[in-house]
Amino acid sequence: MDSELIAVRTGTREVVLDLTSRCEEFVSGRGDGLLHVFVPHATAGVAILETGAGSDTDLLRVLEELLPRDFAWRHRHGTPGHGRDHVLPAIIPPYATVPVLGGQLTLGTWQSICLVDTNVDNPERQVRLSFLAG
């Protein structure tokens, strides 16, 4: 298995960050196998969804409704409502696996691989890309 850790900057606001091009670069020329994308953080997730047409913004709005910042979270360090960031990976897992054929991701037409980060306290993230040859 080949693996690489990449650094991404998410900034100081909630974000759905498209990682697809980085993932395409990583698998290019590798043949058939599986790409595994993993975020080694307790407050972020990986989602496969359409971006650019409003779905990314809709996802953040739904997360705010499901996990409101003003809830009485027991986990209280960080900015107000930071406890929700620690619950996020139970809803949006910190990983995704995508088949690769001929060195290309087999995503659907509108699918993108995205980092979902609601933690405004941590603007620097790491993402582990791993390729398991088939």
Side-chain angles (χ1 to χ4, degrees), residues 16-33:
V16 176
L17 182 67
D18 192 339
L19 300 173
T20 308
S21 62
R22 299 281 297 268
C23 293
E24 288 171 338
E25 290 172 19
F26 179 72
V27 302
S28 180
R30 291 185 185 263
D32 297 347

Side-chain angles (χ1 to χ4, degrees), residues 1-132:
M1 178 173 70
D2 292 326
S3 189
E4 177 181 304
L5 196 60
I6 63 172
V8 296
R9 182 160 179 76
T10 56
T12 57
R13 61 182 178 84
E14 296 182 1
V15 66
V16 176
L17 182 67
D18 192 339
L19 300 173
T20 308
S21 62
R22 299 281 297 268
C23 293
E24 288 171 338
E25 290 172 19
F26 179 72
V27 302
S28 180
R30 291 185 185 263
D32 297 347
L34 295 172
L35 169 68
H36 188 73
V37 181
F38 177 70
V39 182
H41 298 282
T43 59
V46 176
I48 297 177
L49 74 155
E50 179 181 7
T51 60
S55 298
D56 37 358
T57 302
D58 289 342
L59 176 59
L60 292 175
R61 284 183 52 216
V62 167
L63 289 173
E64 181 60 40
E65 288 183 28
L66 288 173
L67 305 169
R69 286 211 175 269
D70 61 358
F71 182 76
W73 299 103
R74 289 180 183 257
H75 189 109
R76 296 180 192 228
H77 75 84
T79 58
H82 178 63
R84 80 185 282 256
D85 302 327
H86 286 275
V87 175
L88 174 79
I91 295 172
I92 298 178
Y95 58 87
T97 302
V98 178
V100 176
L101 295 175
Q104 295 184 331
L105 300 172
T106 59
L107 294 169
T109 302
W110 305 112
Q111 290 180 316
S112 296
I113 302 168
C114 299
L115 171 67
V116 180
D117 188 2
T118 60
N119 182 357
V120 299
D121 294 337
N122 189 355
E124 304 290 332
R125 295 299 189 162
Q126 295 180 328
V127 179
R128 178 160 299 282
L129 304 178
S130 300
F131 182 76
L132 180 62

